[in-house]
PDB file of all heavy atoms in Angstrom:
ATOM      1  N   HIS A  59      56.993 157.135 -12.455  1.00 98.00           N
ATOM      2  CA  HIS A  59      58.057 156.944 -13.454  1.00 98.00           C
ATOM      3  C   HIS A  59      57.630 155.815 -14.391  1.00 98.00           C
ATOM      4  O   HIS A  59      56.680 155.083 -14.102  1.00 98.00           O
ATOM      5  CB  HIS A  59      59.404 156.681 -12.786  1.00 98.00           C
ATOM      6  CG  HIS A  59      59.517 155.356 -12.079  1.00 98.00           C
ATOM      7  ND1 HIS A  59      58.667 154.951 -11.075  1.00 98.00           N
ATOM      8  CD2 HIS A  59      60.401 154.336 -12.245  1.00 98.00           C
ATOM      9  CE1 HIS A  59      59.033 153.756 -10.653  1.00 98.00           C
ATOM     10  NE2 HIS A  59      60.072 153.343 -11.347  1.00 98.00           N
ATOM     11  N   HIS A  61      58.810 152.858 -15.379  1.00 98.00           N
ATOM     12  CA  HIS A  61      59.178 151.448 -15.308  1.00 98.00           C
ATOM     13  C   HIS A  61      57.928 150.570 -15.365  1.00 98.00           C
ATOM     14  O   HIS A  61      56.870 150.918 -14.849  1.00 98.00           O
ATOM     15  CB  HIS A  61      59.991 151.153 -14.045  1.00 98.00           C
ATOM     16  CG  HIS A  61      61.425 151.562 -14.187  1.00 98.00           C
ATOM     17  ND1 HIS A  61      62.264 151.766 -13.122  1.00 98.00           N
ATOM     18  CD2 HIS A  61      62.167 151.813 -15.302  1.00 98.00           C
ATOM     19  CE1 HIS A  61      63.467 152.108 -13.559  1.00 98.00           C
ATOM     20  NE2 HIS A  61      63.437 152.151 -14.882  1.00 98.00           N
ATOM     21  N   ASP A  63      56.849 147.927 -13.956  1.00 98.00           N
ATOM     22  CA  ASP A  63      56.108 147.498 -12.760  1.00 98.00           C
ATOM     23  C   ASP A  63      55.237 148.625 -12.187  1.00 98.00           C
ATOM     24  O   ASP A  63      54.501 148.405 -11.224  1.00 98.00           O
ATOM     25  CB  ASP A  63      57.046 146.930 -11.681  1.00 98.00           C
ATOM     26  CG  ASP A  63      58.134 147.884 -11.242  1.00 98.00           C
ATOM     27  OD1 ASP A  63      58.648 148.653 -12.085  1.00 98.00           O
ATOM     28  OD2 ASP A  63      58.492 147.873 -10.042  1.00 98.00           O
ATOM     29  N   HIS A  64      55.294 149.818 -12.809  1.00 98.00           N
ATOM     30  CA  HIS A  64      54.465 150.944 -12.346  1.00 98.00           C
ATOM     31  C   HIS A  64      53.435 151.397 -13.383  1.00 98.00           C
ATOM     32  O   HIS A  64      52.539 152.156 -13.050  1.00 98.00           O
ATOM     33  CB  HIS A  64      55.360 152.117 -11.930  1.00 98.00           C
ATOM     34  CG  HIS A  64      56.220 151.756 -10.761  1.00 98.00           C
ATOM     35  ND1 HIS A  64      55.929 152.124  -9.468  1.00 98.00           N
ATOM     36  CD2 HIS A  64      57.341 150.987 -10.684  1.00 98.00           C
ATOM     37  CE1 HIS A  64      56.834 151.613  -8.653  1.00 98.00           C
ATOM     38  NE2 HIS A  64      57.698 150.918  -9.360  1.00 98.00           N
ATOM     39  N   HIS A 137      66.258 157.834  -9.113  1.00 98.00           N
ATOM     40  CA  HIS A 137      66.148 156.371  -9.199  1.00 98.00           C
ATOM     41  C   HIS A 137      67.350 155.968 -10.060  1.00 98.00           C
ATOM     42  O   HIS A 137      67.224 155.884 -11.271  1.00 98.00           O
ATOM     43  CB  HIS A 137      64.806 156.076  -9.877  1.00 98.00           C
ATOM     44  CG  HIS A 137      64.361 154.650  -9.906  1.00 98.00           C
ATOM     45  ND1 HIS A 137      64.725 153.711  -8.983  1.00 98.00           N
ATOM     46  CD2 HIS A 137      63.496 154.016 -10.765  1.00 98.00           C
ATOM     47  CE1 HIS A 137      64.127 152.569  -9.271  1.00 98.00           C
ATOM     48  NE2 HIS A 137      63.393 152.720 -10.349  1.00 98.00           N
ATOM     49  N   ASP A 155      60.661 153.929  -5.467  1.00 98.00           N
ATOM     50  CA  ASP A 155      61.683 153.800  -6.507  1.00 98.00           C
ATOM     51  C   ASP A 155      62.656 154.978  -6.541  1.00 98.00           C
ATOM     52  O   ASP A 155      62.789 155.675  -7.550  1.00 98.00           O
ATOM     53  CB  ASP A 155      61.030 153.601  -7.880  1.00 98.00           C
ATOM     54  CG  ASP A 155      60.383 152.239  -7.994  1.00 98.00           C
ATOM     55  OD1 ASP A 155      59.613 151.898  -7.079  1.00 98.00           O
ATOM     56  OD2 ASP A 155      60.642 151.516  -8.961  1.00 98.00           O
TER      57      ASP A 155
HETATM   58 ZN1   ZN B 302      61.564 151.750 -11.019  1.00 70.70          ZN
END
Side-chain angles (χ1 to χ4, degrees):
H59 69 303
H61 281 161
D63 57 325
H64 296 260
H137 189 27
D155 290 50

